[in-house]
Every structure is written in structure tokens, then in C-alpha cells.
Amino acid sequence: MDYSLHERIRAGDPGAFRQLFQEHSHAVLAHAVRVSGDRAGAEDVMAVVFLEAWRLRDKLRDEGTTPRPWLMGITVNVLRNRARAARRHAAALARMPLAEPAPDFADELVGRLADRDQLLAAKAALEKLRRGEREVFSLCVWAGLSYPEAAEALGIPVGTVRSRLSRARTRLRALADKELRQASKTRREPLPAAGQVQGGRMVPARSNKEWNR
């Protein structure tokens, strides 16, 4: 087996890292987009992954035919850390006093997001799986890693990859269908008409000019 690329990466050869980026950056980005559902955030993840790959380059072992499993293992860890930081941030915000309510026009954009429904439903369903099942599914199905490659990326036996993926597939079918039905139902619910009573209060019908005074 020719491990010259692995050797060059460990040695910090800029050309080797350029090749690593050119061959695998798309897979890293696609995986991050699918797991996070956030394109801009996924690009940040990709940048951190390759910085981490540079920092951890001496840990790349001469195994397999490609450094992709090693790189995807780094991607999994970066996504874990990002999710953990997001949970801490959300918890900190939850402890803060509530701000005064402000007008929210986000509902006007709902109709433009229909093409994202499947991705969002899959992401919502994935979040309801155990973390191990979620990571195996995203690596094997979305990132296209083989069972041995996913096992190497996660540091678990191949048999564990197979069993987790089987459980994930079974649960995801039901969960994703439920999320899609819920999203479709939410979009179909009409907004209250001007002047309609809501919670015992009357919303007066006014022109845009009057509201903006």
C-alpha cells in the first residue's frame, strides 16, 4: 500500500494538505450541512476541521486507502463540540430575563422554505435518535463511508456500526414521516384575519401607514 500522502500530511507538506482539501472538502461540507441544516455554519465547521487536521496531522495512521475516515472522524468531533457549545449558549440565554416582545415577520418567509422541508424533517428526526445512531447514519448514508471506514472514524467495532445503522434506519422512517406531516400541517394553517378575536382581544384592522406611525 502506498502511504506517501499520509507521510506527507504527517510531515506538514503544504502540497499534501492542498490535495487533502481538494479531494475531501466537499464531503466534509456536505456532511456538516446535512447534520446541522445550516449552510453558513457548515462552512465554519469545514474550516475548523481542516485546522484541526493540521494540528492533529501526526496522529494520521497508515491505514486504509485514503485519509478520508480520519478526516471524517475529526468532522464528527467538531460537530459534537459545536452542538455542545450551542446547548450551553441556549441554556445561558434561557436564564436571562425575557426582553420586550418585538414584531416578528418570519412567518412571511414560510412559503419560500418548502424546498428545505425534507432536509429539516430529516434533521429533526435525526436529533431524536441516540447520538451513536445519529453519527453512524450520517457517516454511512450521507457521507458515504463504508462500515469499516465509519468504524475507524468513530473508534468503534464494525459490528456496532451495522447494528446502530439498522436501528437508525428503522426509527428514522417513522420519525421523518411524522416531521414532514407536521411541517405540512403547520404551513396549511391560515393566519388570523384582521379584526379577528384572539384570546379575548380584538386585533383592529389598520393600514400599513397607521401601523408604522
Side-chain angles (χ1 to χ4, degrees), residues 18-202:
R18 189 179 305 111
Q19 180 179 344
L20 183 71
F21 182 85
Q22 290 172 344
E23 293 180 356
H24 302 292
S25 59
H26 179 74
V28 170
L29 179 62
H31 183 68
V33 169
R34 288 161 177 162
V35 171
S36 68
D38 178 5
R39 174 79 186 197
E43 292 176 350
D44 292 339
V45 168
M46 182 179 68
V48 173
V49 166
F50 281 93
L51 286 173
E52 282 293 283
W54 173 263
R55 186 176 69 85
L56 301 172
R57 61 189 181 278
D58 59 338
K59 297 185 181 298
L60 175 60
R61 295 176 293 181
D62 291 337
E63 296 180 354
T65 59
T66 170
R68 186 174 72 155
W70 170 73
L71 194 61
M72 295 305 294
I74 294 175
T75 305
V76 168
N77 286 330
V78 170
L79 287 166
R80 285 176 181 172
N81 293 337
R82 185 181 179 87
R84 192 178 300 117
R87 288 194 295 270
R88 287 198 297 264
H89 180 67
L93 290 179
R95 293 192 294 269
M96 296 177 65
L98 294 177
E100 290 296 322
D104 183 3
F105 303 104
D107 287 343
E108 298 176 8
L109 303 177
V110 169
R112 306 177 191 175
L113 302 180
D115 58 332
R116 297 181 58 202
D117 280 356
Q118 289 186 332
L119 175 59
L120 294 177
K123 181 177 181 295
L126 277 172
E127 289 174 349
K128 295 178 181 178
L129 299 181
R130 296 182 179 89
R131 189 181 74 179
E133 296 172 351
R134 183 169 63 247
E135 291 174 350
V136 165
F137 180 88
S138 59
L139 286 176
C140 291
V141 177
W142 280 347
L145 267 64
S146 66
Y147 292 159
E149 287 175 335
E152 180 184 341
L154 296 172
I156 58 177
V158 174
T160 302
V161 171
R162 293 179 183 274
S163 60
R164 288 181 182 177
L165 181 59
S166 177
R167 289 196 300 270
R169 287 182 186 275
T170 299
R171 296 188 62 199
L172 275 174
R173 290 189 187 97
L175 290 171
D177 286 346
K178 181 179 179 181
E179 292 292 336
L180 280 172
R181 287 195 300 270
Q182 182 61 39
S184 177
K185 178 181 177 182
T186 301
R187 287 200 311 276
R188 288 197 302 267
E189 291 179 352
L191 294 175
Q196 182 176 336
V197 176
Q198 299 185 46
R201 299 178 62 186
M202 178 69 73

